[in-house]
Amino acid sequence: MSKASDEIKSILEQFTIPFLHLNKRFPLLPGKDSVEAEASLMGLSTDELKTYRQNISENAKQAALELLKEDEIVDLVDKLPFDGSETIAVLGDSISEDGQGWFEILHHLLSISVEKADFNFINAGVGHNTTSEALRRLDRDVLIHEPDWVFVALGTYDAQRLNYVQERTISPLSETWENFESIQNVVNDKVSNPIVWITPAPVINELLMQNALYEFSIEEVDLKQVRELVASKSGVIIDSLGRRMGEEGPEAWNYIADGLHHSLSGHMNTVRLVLKKLSEAEISTD
């Protein structure tokens, strides 16, 4: 096995490991659940990968504990339409797949704070997914689990403009609209509770374009159009104006160094809004 250098390990730790889970990318691959195979692919030892993943999970748990120190958060939890036995799924991209992201923080927070919690959390976030790619796996990755609640957190990657095809977004806005419509119709037919839609947050495009790992840009003018599509859907809308990463524009401390993925503080902002919106929703738990 070729060993990763310390520099490569640092890149893997920040930009790859939180957002890469082979069992999601390659569900039919026989070795998809092998930590040894996954570690070998990255040039890491099994113990190194396990340690990275444990640290990531602990970061999410500590973020949840920090949120629970806020009196408002504790009050909101008491008002949530959950009894502790629900299956909660997210259909998303790498921002949701993030092992220390908002969905994992929410999982820890509810598991800690809800009495007799026995939640089943299904993280069906897959890195760089467009709405077309997510729609294709909606049944396999989400509906098969018969969820009580479905979060949809998509649209960021529909707005990407490839560095060598700058004249258009990779997904036409009309296609994004149709995909959201299909997701809404299918989920509403299978799930009694309303969809919880997470709008795509702004991207710090200057940082994104400076990062050699990416070959695309994401402009706010394109994201705004996608955000408006999400905000027009039926269900619970989280952050219709895309301001959770900064009222006057995206603030750097809410992002990791690529300007695309969110830091712990950014993810915590999303969790705060999710709790607020769900606690306000008039939904029966019967």
Side-chain angles (χ1 to χ4, degrees), residues 12-267:
L12 288 170
E13 182 180 13
Q14 185 173 16
F15 298 115
T16 302
I17 295 172
F19 317 107
L20 177 61
H21 303 85
L22 289 186
N23 58 348
K24 296 183 181 184
R25 305 289 182 97
F26 306 104
L28 300 180
L29 195 68
K32 67 182 185 301
D33 295 317
S34 169
V35 179
E36 292 80 6
E38 196 169 18
S40 180
L41 182 65
M42 298 185 196
L44 301 172
S45 70
T46 301
D47 286 344
E48 284 175 325
L49 181 56
K50 286 182 177 179
T51 297
Y52 285 137
R53 288 263 162 84
Q54 288 169 357
N55 291 340
I56 288 168
S57 180
E58 184 61 26
N59 288 342
K61 182 177 180 180
Q62 288 302 316
L65 290 171
E66 286 299 313
L67 284 169
L68 287 168
K69 292 178 182 178
E70 301 174 15
D71 291 340
E72 182 182 7
I73 295 298
V74 175
D75 291 340
L76 292 177
V77 170
D78 289 338
K79 300 174 184 176
L80 292 174
F82 301 142
D83 63 21
S85 64
E86 291 85 353
T87 293
I88 302 173
V90 61
L91 182 69
D93 50 40
S94 53
I95 296 171
S96 300
E97 183 179 15
D98 190 346
Q100 56 193 22
W102 68 269
F103 192 70
E104 299 303 324
I105 295 172
L106 181 66
H107 184 184
H108 283 290
L109 187 148
L110 293 179
S111 297
I112 293 167
S113 61
V114 174
E115 186 177 358
K116 298 180 181 179
D118 188 28
F119 292 104
N120 181 23
F121 270 66
I122 308 297
N123 189 333
V126 174
H128 291 225
N129 258 201
T130 63
T131 54
S132 294
E133 292 163 323
L135 174 61
R136 188 175 294 114
R137 59 186 180 81
L138 170 61
D139 186 53
R140 180 194 75 201
D141 289 356
V142 175
L143 298 181
I144 195 172
H145 299 284
E146 299 182 349
D148 300 291
W149 290 87
V150 173
F151 289 78
V152 177
L154 293 164
T156 297
Y157 291 97
D158 287 50
Q160 61 185 305
R161 291 178 181 261
L162 299 177
N163 294 344
Y164 47 89
V165 189
Q166 276 288 307
E167 64 270 17
R168 51 157 290 191
T169 58
I170 198 165
S171 299
L173 193 63
S174 59
E175 181 178 301
T176 302
W177 180 85
E178 289 179 352
N179 290 334
F180 280 140
E181 281 288 296
S182 295
I183 290 169
Q184 177 174 266
N185 291 339
V186 172
V187 173
N188 284 347
D189 185 54
K190 300 291 185 180
V191 180
S192 59
N193 288 310
I195 299 174
V196 184
W197 299 89
I198 312 288
T199 64
V203 170
I204 303 178
N205 198 38
E206 295 80 4
L207 293 178
L208 178 63
M209 294 180 69
Q210 291 169 13
N211 194 306
L213 295 174
Y214 304 110
E215 56 184 11
F216 57 85
S217 62
I218 298 178
E219 300 284 353
E220 175 58 20
V221 64
D222 298 318
L223 269 182
K224 182 180 179 183
Q225 291 181 308
V226 176
R227 198 176 297 127
E228 289 171 349
L229 292 184
V230 176
S232 70
K233 308 311 294 176
S234 63
V236 179
I237 311 298
I238 308 299
D239 194 19
S240 60
L241 298 178
R243 292 179 178 173
R244 63 188 183 276
M245 299 300 158
E247 284 290 327
E248 303 300 326
E251 297 169 334
W253 55 81
N254 288 324
Y255 297 79
I256 66 172
D258 63 6
L260 168 62
H261 294 98
H262 304 159
S263 65
L264 283 171
S265 64
H267 283 301

